[in-house]
Short mmCIF file of all heavy atoms in Angstrom, two decimals:
data_model
loop_
_atom_site.label_atom_id
_atom_site.label_comp_id
_atom_site.label_asym_id
_atom_site.label_seq_id
_atom_site.Cartn_x
_atom_site.Cartn_y
_atom_site.Cartn_z
N LEU A 22 75.04 115.75 93.33
CA LEU A 22 73.64 116.11 93.15
C LEU A 22 72.85 114.95 92.53
O LEU A 22 71.72 114.68 92.95
CB LEU A 22 73.53 117.38 92.30
CG LEU A 22 74.20 118.63 92.91
CD1 LEU A 22 74.16 119.79 91.93
CD2 LEU A 22 73.57 118.99 94.24
N LYS A 23 73.45 114.25 91.58
CA LYS A 23 72.80 113.07 91.00
C LYS A 23 72.60 111.99 92.06
O LYS A 23 71.56 111.33 92.09
CB LYS A 23 73.64 112.51 89.85
CG LYS A 23 73.55 113.30 88.58
CD LYS A 23 74.37 112.64 87.49
CE LYS A 23 74.30 113.44 86.20
NZ LYS A 23 75.11 112.82 85.14
N LEU A 24 73.60 111.82 92.93
CA LEU A 24 73.50 110.84 94.00
C LEU A 24 72.36 111.18 94.95
O LEU A 24 71.58 110.32 95.33
CB LEU A 24 74.82 110.74 94.77
CG LEU A 24 74.84 109.82 95.99
CD1 LEU A 24 74.48 108.39 95.61
CD2 LEU A 24 76.19 109.89 96.67
N GLU A 25 72.23 112.44 95.29
CA GLU A 25 71.16 112.86 96.21
C GLU A 25 69.78 112.66 95.58
O GLU A 25 68.85 112.23 96.26
CB GLU A 25 71.36 114.30 96.65
CG GLU A 25 72.48 114.46 97.65
CD GLU A 25 72.26 113.61 98.89
OE1 GLU A 25 71.24 113.78 99.59
OE2 GLU A 25 73.12 112.75 99.16
N ILE A 26 69.67 112.94 94.30
CA ILE A 26 68.39 112.71 93.60
C ILE A 26 68.07 111.22 93.59
O ILE A 26 66.95 110.81 93.87
CB ILE A 26 68.43 113.30 92.18
CG1 ILE A 26 68.43 114.83 92.25
CG2 ILE A 26 67.26 112.79 91.34
CD1 ILE A 26 68.76 115.51 90.93
N ALA A 27 69.08 110.40 93.27
CA ALA A 27 68.87 108.95 93.24
C ALA A 27 68.52 108.42 94.63
O ALA A 27 67.66 107.54 94.76
CB ALA A 27 70.13 108.26 92.70
N ARG A 28 69.15 108.96 95.66
CA ARG A 28 68.84 108.55 97.03
C ARG A 28 67.39 108.88 97.37
O ARG A 28 66.65 108.05 97.90
CB ARG A 28 69.78 109.23 98.03
CG ARG A 28 69.54 108.81 99.47
CD ARG A 28 70.34 109.60 100.50
NE ARG A 28 71.57 110.18 100.06
CZ ARG A 28 72.79 109.64 100.20
NH1 ARG A 28 72.91 108.46 100.77
NH2 ARG A 28 73.87 110.28 99.79
N GLN A 29 66.97 110.09 97.03
CA GLN A 29 65.60 110.52 97.31
C GLN A 29 64.59 109.65 96.56
O GLN A 29 63.59 109.23 97.12
CB GLN A 29 65.42 111.99 96.95
CG GLN A 29 64.04 112.52 97.27
CD GLN A 29 63.91 114.00 96.97
OE1 GLN A 29 64.84 114.65 96.54
NE2 GLN A 29 62.72 114.52 97.19
N GLN A 30 64.88 109.38 95.28
CA GLN A 30 63.96 108.55 94.50
C GLN A 30 63.88 107.13 95.07
O GLN A 30 62.81 106.53 95.08
CB GLN A 30 64.39 108.53 93.03
CG GLN A 30 64.15 109.85 92.35
CD GLN A 30 64.73 109.93 90.94
OE1 GLN A 30 65.67 109.23 90.61
NE2 GLN A 30 64.16 110.80 90.13
N SER A 31 65.00 106.62 95.56
CA SER A 31 65.00 105.29 96.17
C SER A 31 64.18 105.29 97.45
O SER A 31 63.44 104.34 97.72
CB SER A 31 66.43 104.84 96.47
OG SER A 31 67.13 104.62 95.28
N GLU A 32 64.33 106.33 98.24
CA GLU A 32 63.59 106.42 99.50
C GLU A 32 62.09 106.58 99.27
O GLU A 32 61.29 106.12 100.08
CB GLU A 32 64.13 107.56 100.35
CG GLU A 32 65.51 107.29 100.91
CD GLU A 32 66.14 108.48 101.61
OE1 GLU A 32 65.52 109.57 101.64
OE2 GLU A 32 67.26 108.32 102.12
N GLU A 33 61.71 107.21 98.16
CA GLU A 33 60.30 107.43 97.86
C GLU A 33 59.66 106.27 97.10
O GLU A 33 58.45 106.26 96.90
CB GLU A 33 60.14 108.73 97.07
CG GLU A 33 60.49 109.97 97.88
CD GLU A 33 60.51 111.24 97.05
OE1 GLU A 33 60.36 111.18 95.81
OE2 GLU A 33 60.72 112.31 97.65
N ASP A 34 60.46 105.31 96.68
CA ASP A 34 59.97 104.16 95.92
C ASP A 34 59.40 103.13 96.90
O ASP A 34 60.14 102.39 97.56
CB ASP A 34 61.12 103.57 95.11
CG ASP A 34 60.69 102.43 94.21
OD1 ASP A 34 59.71 101.73 94.53
OD2 ASP A 34 61.37 102.21 93.19
N GLU A 35 58.08 103.09 97.00
CA GLU A 35 57.42 102.22 97.97
C GLU A 35 57.73 100.75 97.72
O GLU A 35 57.97 99.97 98.65
CB GLU A 35 55.91 102.46 97.94
CG GLU A 35 55.17 101.81 99.08
CD GLU A 35 53.71 102.22 99.12
OE1 GLU A 35 53.38 103.37 98.79
OE2 GLU A 35 52.90 101.35 99.49
N GLU A 36 57.74 100.35 96.44
CA GLU A 36 58.05 98.96 96.10
C GLU A 36 59.46 98.59 96.56
O GLU A 36 59.68 97.52 97.14
CB GLU A 36 57.92 98.76 94.60
CG GLU A 36 58.15 97.35 94.14
CD GLU A 36 58.00 97.22 92.62
OE1 GLU A 36 56.99 97.71 92.08
OE2 GLU A 36 58.89 96.62 92.01
N LEU A 37 60.41 99.48 96.32
CA LEU A 37 61.79 99.23 96.74
C LEU A 37 61.88 99.16 98.27
O LEU A 37 62.52 98.26 98.81
CB LEU A 37 62.71 100.32 96.20
CG LEU A 37 64.17 100.26 96.66
CD1 LEU A 37 64.82 98.92 96.26
CD2 LEU A 37 64.95 101.43 96.07
N GLN A 38 61.24 100.10 98.95
CA GLN A 38 61.30 100.10 100.41
C GLN A 38 60.66 98.85 101.00
O GLN A 38 61.15 98.31 101.99
CB GLN A 38 60.66 101.37 100.96
CG GLN A 38 61.44 102.64 100.64
CD GLN A 38 62.90 102.57 101.06
OE1 GLN A 38 63.22 102.20 102.18
NE2 GLN A 38 63.80 102.90 100.14
N ASN A 39 59.58 98.39 100.39
CA ASN A 39 58.95 97.14 100.84
C ASN A 39 59.89 95.95 100.64
O ASN A 39 59.98 95.07 101.50
CB ASN A 39 57.62 96.90 100.12
CG ASN A 39 56.54 97.84 100.57
OD1 ASN A 39 56.59 98.42 101.65
ND2 ASN A 39 55.53 98.03 99.73
N ALA A 40 60.58 95.93 99.51
CA ALA A 40 61.52 94.84 99.24
C ALA A 40 62.69 94.88 100.23
O ALA A 40 63.14 93.83 100.71
CB ALA A 40 62.04 94.93 97.80
N ILE A 41 63.16 96.07 100.56
CA ILE A 41 64.24 96.20 101.55
C ILE A 41 63.75 95.72 102.92
O ILE A 41 64.46 95.00 103.64
CB ILE A 41 64.76 97.65 101.61
CG1 ILE A 41 65.50 97.99 100.31
CG2 ILE A 41 65.66 97.86 102.83
CD1 ILE A 41 65.85 99.46 100.15
N GLY A 42 62.52 96.08 103.27
CA GLY A 42 61.94 95.62 104.52
C GLY A 42 61.83 94.10 104.56
O GLY A 42 62.15 93.46 105.57
N GLU A 43 61.38 93.52 103.45
CA GLU A 43 61.25 92.07 103.36
C GLU A 43 62.63 91.40 103.48
O GLU A 43 62.78 90.39 104.18
CB GLU A 43 60.61 91.68 102.03
CG GLU A 43 60.36 90.20 101.86
CD GLU A 43 59.32 89.65 102.82
OE1 GLU A 43 58.45 90.41 103.31
OE2 GLU A 43 59.37 88.44 103.10
N PHE A 44 63.62 91.96 102.82
CA PHE A 44 64.99 91.44 102.92
C PHE A 44 65.46 91.46 104.37
O PHE A 44 66.02 90.48 104.86
CB PHE A 44 65.92 92.26 102.03
CG PHE A 44 67.37 91.88 102.17
CD1 PHE A 44 67.88 90.82 101.45
CD2 PHE A 44 68.22 92.59 103.01
CE1 PHE A 44 69.22 90.46 101.58
CE2 PHE A 44 69.54 92.24 103.14
CZ PHE A 44 70.05 91.17 102.42
N ASN A 45 65.25 92.57 105.05
CA ASN A 45 65.69 92.70 106.44
C ASN A 45 64.97 91.71 107.34
O ASN A 45 65.57 91.14 108.27
CB ASN A 45 65.50 94.13 106.94
CG ASN A 45 66.51 95.07 106.32
OD1 ASN A 45 67.62 94.68 105.98
ND2 ASN A 45 66.13 96.32 106.17
N LEU A 46 63.67 91.49 107.10
CA LEU A 46 62.93 90.50 107.88
C LEU A 46 63.49 89.09 107.66
O LEU A 46 63.62 88.31 108.61
CB LEU A 46 61.45 90.53 107.52
CG LEU A 46 60.66 91.75 108.01
CD1 LEU A 46 59.25 91.73 107.44
CD2 LEU A 46 60.63 91.79 109.53
N LYS A 47 63.82 88.77 106.42
CA LYS A 47 64.39 87.45 106.12
C LYS A 47 65.75 87.29 106.79
O LYS A 47 66.07 86.23 107.32
CB LYS A 47 64.51 87.22 104.61
CG LYS A 47 63.19 87.18 103.88
CD LYS A 47 62.30 86.06 104.40
CE LYS A 47 60.96 86.10 103.68
NZ LYS A 47 59.99 85.19 104.28
N ARG A 48 66.54 88.36 106.77
CA ARG A 48 67.86 88.31 107.40
C ARG A 48 67.72 88.08 108.91
O ARG A 48 68.45 87.29 109.50
CB ARG A 48 68.63 89.60 107.11
CG ARG A 48 70.08 89.53 107.55
CD ARG A 48 70.83 90.76 107.17
NE ARG A 48 70.07 91.92 107.64
CZ ARG A 48 70.46 93.16 107.49
NH1 ARG A 48 71.58 93.42 106.86
NH2 ARG A 48 69.75 94.16 107.94
N MET A 49 66.76 88.76 109.54
CA MET A 49 66.52 88.57 110.97
C MET A 49 66.03 87.15 111.25
O MET A 49 66.44 86.52 112.23
CB MET A 49 65.52 89.59 111.49
CG MET A 49 66.10 90.98 111.56
SD MET A 49 65.04 92.30 112.26
CE MET A 49 63.41 91.70 112.20
N ALA A 50 65.17 86.63 110.37
CA ALA A 50 64.67 85.27 110.55
C ALA A 50 65.81 84.26 110.44
O ALA A 50 65.86 83.28 111.20
CB ALA A 50 63.58 84.95 109.52
N ILE A 51 66.74 84.51 109.53
CA ILE A 51 67.90 83.63 109.39
C ILE A 51 68.75 83.69 110.66
O ILE A 51 69.19 82.65 111.17
CB ILE A 51 68.74 84.02 108.15
CG1 ILE A 51 67.99 83.60 106.88
CG2 ILE A 51 70.13 83.38 108.20
CD1 ILE A 51 68.61 84.14 105.60
N ASN A 52 68.99 84.88 111.17
CA ASN A 52 69.77 85.02 112.40
C ASN A 52 69.09 84.31 113.57
O ASN A 52 69.75 83.66 114.37
CB ASN A 52 70.00 86.49 112.73
CG ASN A 52 70.96 87.15 111.78
OD1 ASN A 52 71.77 86.49 111.12
ND2 ASN A 52 70.89 88.46 111.67
N ASN A 53 67.77 84.46 113.65
CA ASN A 53 67.03 83.80 114.73
C ASN A 53 67.12 82.28 114.61
O ASN A 53 67.34 81.58 115.60
CB ASN A 53 65.56 84.24 114.74
CG ASN A 53 65.39 85.66 115.20
OD1 ASN A 53 66.25 86.22 115.89
ND2 ASN A 53 64.28 86.27 114.83
N GLU A 54 66.92 81.78 113.41
CA GLU A 54 66.98 80.33 113.19
C GLU A 54 68.39 79.81 113.45
O GLU A 54 68.56 78.75 114.05
CB GLU A 54 66.53 79.99 111.76
CG GLU A 54 66.44 78.51 111.46
CD GLU A 54 65.37 77.79 112.26
OE1 GLU A 54 64.35 78.41 112.64
OE2 GLU A 54 65.55 76.59 112.53
N ALA A 55 69.39 80.55 113.03
CA ALA A 55 70.78 80.11 113.20
C ALA A 55 71.18 80.06 114.67
O ALA A 55 72.05 79.26 115.05
CB ALA A 55 71.72 81.04 112.44
N SER A 56 70.55 80.89 115.50
CA SER A 56 70.92 80.92 116.91
C SER A 56 70.21 79.85 117.73
O SER A 56 70.53 79.63 118.89
CB SER A 56 70.64 82.30 117.51
OG SER A 56 69.25 82.55 117.52
N LYS A 57 69.26 79.15 117.14
CA LYS A 57 68.54 78.09 117.84
C LYS A 57 69.43 76.87 118.02
O LYS A 57 70.20 76.52 117.13
CB LYS A 57 67.29 77.68 117.07
CG LYS A 57 66.20 78.73 117.03
CD LYS A 57 65.01 78.21 116.24
CE LYS A 57 63.90 79.21 116.17
NZ LYS A 57 62.77 78.71 115.34
N ALA A 58 69.28 76.22 119.14
CA ALA A 58 70.04 74.99 119.40
C ALA A 58 69.57 73.87 118.47
O ALA A 58 70.36 73.02 118.06
CB ALA A 58 69.89 74.57 120.86
N ASP A 59 68.28 73.87 118.15
CA ASP A 59 67.72 72.83 117.30
C ASP A 59 67.36 73.37 115.92
O ASP A 59 66.32 73.04 115.37
CB ASP A 59 66.50 72.20 117.96
CG ASP A 59 65.37 73.21 118.17
OD1 ASP A 59 65.66 74.43 118.20
OD2 ASP A 59 64.21 72.79 118.29
N ARG A 60 68.25 74.17 115.38
CA ARG A 60 67.94 74.81 114.10
C ARG A 60 67.71 73.78 112.99
O ARG A 60 68.33 72.72 112.97
CB ARG A 60 69.02 75.81 113.70
CG ARG A 60 70.21 75.20 113.05
CD ARG A 60 71.16 76.25 112.56
NE ARG A 60 72.21 75.62 111.82
CZ ARG A 60 73.32 76.19 111.50
NH1 ARG A 60 73.54 77.43 111.87
NH2 ARG A 60 74.22 75.56 110.81
N SER A 61 66.88 74.19 112.08
CA SER A 61 66.53 73.32 110.96
C SER A 61 67.31 73.76 109.72
O SER A 61 67.19 74.90 109.28
CB SER A 61 65.03 73.43 110.69
OG SER A 61 64.71 72.91 109.42
N ASP A 62 68.10 72.84 109.18
CA ASP A 62 68.85 73.15 107.96
C ASP A 62 67.90 73.42 106.80
O ASP A 62 68.16 74.28 105.95
CB ASP A 62 69.82 72.02 107.61
CG ASP A 62 71.00 71.96 108.57
OD1 ASP A 62 71.29 73.00 109.22
OD2 ASP A 62 71.63 70.89 108.68
N GLU A 63 66.79 72.69 106.78
CA GLU A 63 65.80 72.90 105.73
C GLU A 63 65.21 74.30 105.81
O GLU A 63 65.06 75.00 104.81
CB GLU A 63 64.70 71.84 105.85
CG GLU A 63 63.66 71.91 104.74
CD GLU A 63 62.61 70.82 104.88
OE1 GLU A 63 62.99 69.65 105.08
OE2 GLU A 63 61.42 71.17 104.78
N LYS A 64 64.88 74.73 107.03
CA LYS A 64 64.34 76.07 107.24
C LYS A 64 65.38 77.12 106.86
O LYS A 64 65.05 78.14 106.23
CB LYS A 64 63.92 76.22 108.71
CG LYS A 64 63.38 77.57 109.08
CD LYS A 64 61.98 77.74 108.56
CE LYS A 64 61.39 79.02 109.14
NZ LYS A 64 60.09 79.33 108.63
N MET A 65 66.65 76.88 107.19
CA MET A 65 67.73 77.81 106.83
C MET A 65 67.85 77.94 105.31
O MET A 65 67.99 79.05 104.79
CB MET A 65 69.07 77.35 107.42
CG MET A 65 69.17 77.49 108.92
SD MET A 65 69.23 79.21 109.46
CE MET A 65 70.82 79.70 108.84
N GLN A 66 67.77 76.83 104.61
CA GLN A 66 67.84 76.86 103.15
C GLN A 66 66.67 77.63 102.56
O GLN A 66 66.84 78.42 101.63
CB GLN A 66 67.89 75.45 102.58
CG GLN A 66 69.20 74.73 102.84
CD GLN A 66 69.18 73.29 102.34
OE1 GLN A 66 68.16 72.79 101.87
NE2 GLN A 66 70.32 72.63 102.45
N GLN A 67 65.49 77.40 103.11
CA GLN A 67 64.30 78.11 102.64
C GLN A 67 64.44 79.61 102.87
O GLN A 67 64.18 80.42 101.97
CB GLN A 67 63.05 77.59 103.36
CG GLN A 67 61.79 78.36 103.00
CD GLN A 67 60.63 78.03 103.93
OE1 GLN A 67 60.69 77.08 104.71
NE2 GLN A 67 59.58 78.80 103.84
N LEU A 68 64.86 79.98 104.07
CA LEU A 68 65.02 81.41 104.39
C LEU A 68 66.10 82.06 103.54
O LEU A 68 65.94 83.19 103.08
CB LEU A 68 65.33 81.59 105.88
CG LEU A 68 64.18 81.28 106.84
CD1 LEU A 68 64.67 81.25 108.29
CD2 LEU A 68 63.05 82.30 106.67
N ASN A 69 67.20 81.33 103.32
CA ASN A 69 68.27 81.86 102.45
C ASN A 69 67.77 82.08 101.04
O ASN A 69 68.09 83.09 100.41
CB ASN A 69 69.48 80.92 102.46
CG ASN A 69 70.43 81.22 103.59
OD1 ASN A 69 70.77 82.38 103.82
ND2 ASN A 69 70.85 80.18 104.29
#
Side-chain angles (χ1 to χ4, degrees):
L22 299 174
K23 284 182 181 180
L24 175 59
E25 285 303 300
I26 290 168
R28 181 187 334 264
Q29 182 177 359
Q30 289 172 335
S31 292
E32 289 172 358
E33 293 172 355
D34 184 332
E35 191 173 325
E36 183 180 311
L37 175 59
Q38 292 306 311
N39 288 339
I41 291 170
E43 184 66 25
F44 174 84
N45 288 330
L46 288 173
K47 296 300 177 189
R48 189 176 51 179
M49 289 183 342
I51 287 170
N52 289 338
N53 289 338
E54 185 66 29
S56 66
K57 291 180 180 178
D59 62 338
R60 82 174 186 195
S61 164
D62 288 338
E63 184 178 312
K64 178 76 171 176
M65 289 291 292
Q66 289 176 356
Q67 175 192 349
L68 290 170
N69 273 313

